[in-house]
């Protein structure tokens, strides 16, 4: 415990705070379609998802090892750099949550870390080949694979049930969605909770508390699982509304197909150690399910804004992480305190802004378009 300095403790707490925001930011990945189709009540959905996220955190550590010893050089990383990177990730998560955009929490984390390490240790501190192999390629391939799988599954689901009574089909697929959405939650815990485990493990390695290329200790796995589970239970209703109601017109067979496709892609990637974005996988699956049903409505404007958010997430978080790292590098403990206070203030402003137009469990299935009330009312496409 001699290696756990005050700064290391601050970084661990900040990492768990990011994990919490990851939970409520990504609840929609597992439960948006089940809530939209009525397969699960909103509060029941987030409770089930939260519990299974905790369980999933204990199933694998391959992604955690990719974070702690893959994309950056753990021998050059300091706790201060990791703190700066986490600040960038948390602020981007809060901004996109306010806008109701299902951007990638994973890429926010990677971007924040890459920017902070690049500024703090130089470009040689970032393993660009691993970034391409483990982050960028999965980002391109995974939503396409999930979308095609969901499209085919949706087409087959409607063909096979074409002669059955509509009420029986709806009831049957809603029951199936309970199982498929639960599996997505389990897979989400297996993939996303590990990213925070990796960050905390990287911090402990940089502080000398763990050996080079060590895996996450049990207490790290447990705390990361609980943090993401609690965040998931909070709901993240704004993004749930966008994915459940704003992206495509979803019925229960489509929801089942989308969730099954997402589970298969996420679990396969977690086993291989690919730190992919579960948000991108789930969004690709929902689009594929929308295209798989004849005459279903797909809202391409929403999809376009979502893809734009995907494209700018990593560089935006990297920019904030880099700026924070520069202040910390030149300001020492004072710089760290300044960054912490600025981040808390910005987070408070974002949360206060969200209360102007609250999205809750009781209105999450309302119209997907919401107006953010400011001094001069403006329409924000899918800010829900």
């Amino acid at each position: 415990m001699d290696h756990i300095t005050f700064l290391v403790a601050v970084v661990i707490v900040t990492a768990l705070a990011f994990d919490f925001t990851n939970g409520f930011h990504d609840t929609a990945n597992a439960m948006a379609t089940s809530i939209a189709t009525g397969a699960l009540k909103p509060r029941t959905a987030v409770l089930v998802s939260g519990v299974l996220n905790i369980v999933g955190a204990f199933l694998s550590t391959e992604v955690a090892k990719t974070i702690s010893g893959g994309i950056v050089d753990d021998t050059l990383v300091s706790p201060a750099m990791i703190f700066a990177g986490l600040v960038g990730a948390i602020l981007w998560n809060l901004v996109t949550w306010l806008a109701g955009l299902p951007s990638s929490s994973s890429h926010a984390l990677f971007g924040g870390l890459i920017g902070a390490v690049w500024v703090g240790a130089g470009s040689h501190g970032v393993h660009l080949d691993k970034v391409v192999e483990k982050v960028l390629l999965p980002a391109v391939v995974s939503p396409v694979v999930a979308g095609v799988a969901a499209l085919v599954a949706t087409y087959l689901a409607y063909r096979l049930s074409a002669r059955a009574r509509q009420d029986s089909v709806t009831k049957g697929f809603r029951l199936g969605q309970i199982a498929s959405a639960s599996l997505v939650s389990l897979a989400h815990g297996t993939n996303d909770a590990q990213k925070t485990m990796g960050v905390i493990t990287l911090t402990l390695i940089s502080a000398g508390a763990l050996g080079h290329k060590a895996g996450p200790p049990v207490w790290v796995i447990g705390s990361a699982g609980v943090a993401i589970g609690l965040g998931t239970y909070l709901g993240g209703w704004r993004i749930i509304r966008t994915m459940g109601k704003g992206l495509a017109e979803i019925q229960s067979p489509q929801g089942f197909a989308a969730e099954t496709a997402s589970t298969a892609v996420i679990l396969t990637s977690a086993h291989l150690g690919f730190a992919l974005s579960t948000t991108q996988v789930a969004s690709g699956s929902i689009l594929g399910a929308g295209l798989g049903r004849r005459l279903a409505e797909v809202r391409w404007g929403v999809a376009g804004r979502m893809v734009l958010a995907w494209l700018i997430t990593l560089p935006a978080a990297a920019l904030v992480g880099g700026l924070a790292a520069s202040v910390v590098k030149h300001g020492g403990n004072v710089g760290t305190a300044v960054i912490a206070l600025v981040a808390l203030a910005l987070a408070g402003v974002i949360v206060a802004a969200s209360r102007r137009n609250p999205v809750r469990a009781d209105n999450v299935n309302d119209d997907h378009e919401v107006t953010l009330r400011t001094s001069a009312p403006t329409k924000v496409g899918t800010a829900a």
Side-chain angles (χ1 to χ4, degrees):
M1 296 297 290
D2 293 340
H3 297 282
I4 307 299
T5 64
F6 177 73
L7 179 57
V8 170
V10 168
V11 174
I12 292 172
V13 171
T14 307
L16 293 175
F18 165 78
D19 206 23
F20 184 82
T21 67
N22 190 349
F24 73 73
H25 196 281
D26 287 7
T27 309
N29 299 348
M31 291 299 173
T33 55
S34 292
I35 291 171
T37 63
L40 286 168
K41 293 181 178 179
R43 283 294 179 191
T44 302
V46 296
L47 176 60
V48 170
S49 187
V51 171
L52 289 174
N53 264 280
I54 296 173
V55 174
F58 287 89
L59 296 184
S60 172
T61 58
E62 291 303 315
V63 173
K65 292 174 182 176
T66 296
I67 304 298
S68 63
I71 64 174
V72 295
D73 187 341
D74 59 19
T75 63
L76 299 176
V77 174
S78 69
M81 293 178 207
I82 298 172
F83 171 73
L86 287 167
V87 167
I90 290 171
L91 290 178
W92 185 253
N93 266 358
L94 291 175
V95 167
T96 50
W97 162 74
L98 177 65
L101 285 173
S103 67
S104 171
S105 296
S106 304
H107 289 178
L109 177 59
F110 302 147
L113 281 177
I114 290 169
V117 173
W118 194 290
V119 170
S123 59
H124 56 284
V126 179
H127 297 153
L128 292 178
D129 56 334
K130 290 294 184 182
V131 173
V132 172
E133 175 191 352
K134 297 289 188 178
V135 178
L136 298 183
L137 284 179
V140 175
V141 174
S142 61
V144 175
V145 171
V148 171
L151 187 154
V152 173
T154 298
Y155 174 78
L156 292 175
Y158 278 104
R159 285 297 299 268
L160 293 173
S161 61
R163 297 178 181 272
R165 290 174 51 189
Q166 184 60 42
D167 58 343
S168 299
V169 171
T170 299
K171 182 178 180 180
F173 276 109
R174 281 181 177 175
L175 290 173
Q177 274 194 273
I178 297 174
S180 59
S182 297
L183 285 173
V184 177
S185 297
L186 192 70
H188 183 264
T190 303
N191 193 282
D192 277 45
Q194 287 190 57
K195 292 158 190 171
T196 298
M197 294 178 212
V199 169
I200 296 175
T201 302
L202 180 61
T203 303
L204 296 173
I205 291 172
S206 69
L210 291 176
H212 180 60
K213 293 187 177 179
V218 174
W219 70 266
V220 172
I221 297 173
S223 59
V226 170
I228 200 169
L230 289 174
T232 300
Y233 180 67
L234 186 64
W237 305 109
R238 308 176 83 83
I239 298 175
I240 289 176
R241 177 186 285 180
T242 298
M243 290 185 72
K245 290 292 184 181
L247 193 54
E249 182 186 357
I250 294 293
Q251 296 180 351
S252 54
Q254 295 165 282
F256 177 77
E259 290 158 359
T260 303
S262 294
T263 300
V265 172
I266 295 169
L267 286 179
T268 300
S269 297
H271 177 71
L272 296 173
F274 292 127
L276 53 69
S277 166
T278 54
T279 299
Q280 292 181 359
V281 171
S283 300
S285 294
I286 291 173
L287 280 174
L291 293 171
R293 180 169 73 87
R294 187 169 174 264
L295 300 181
E297 180 183 2
V298 176
R299 300 181 180 95
W300 293 108
V302 177
R305 288 189 288 274
M306 183 181 67
V307 171
L308 179 62
W310 292 356
L311 293 175
I312 65 174
T313 288
L314 197 148
L319 178 62
V320 177
L323 289 173
S326 180
V327 174
V328 170
K329 182 178 179 180
H330 295 99
N333 290 336
V334 174
T336 302
V338 168
I339 290 298
L341 290 174
V342 170
L344 286 172
L346 290 174
V349 169
I350 292 169
V351 171
S354 74
R355 292 179 177 174
R356 295 174 177 270
N357 241 311
V359 182
R360 305 175 300 270
D362 58 351
N363 68 354
V364 69
N365 278 336
D366 291 351
D367 189 331
H368 69 281
E369 290 194 338
V370 174
T371 301
L372 291 179
R373 297 188 189 93
T374 59
S375 55
T378 55
K379 191 82 167 181
V380 179
T382 55

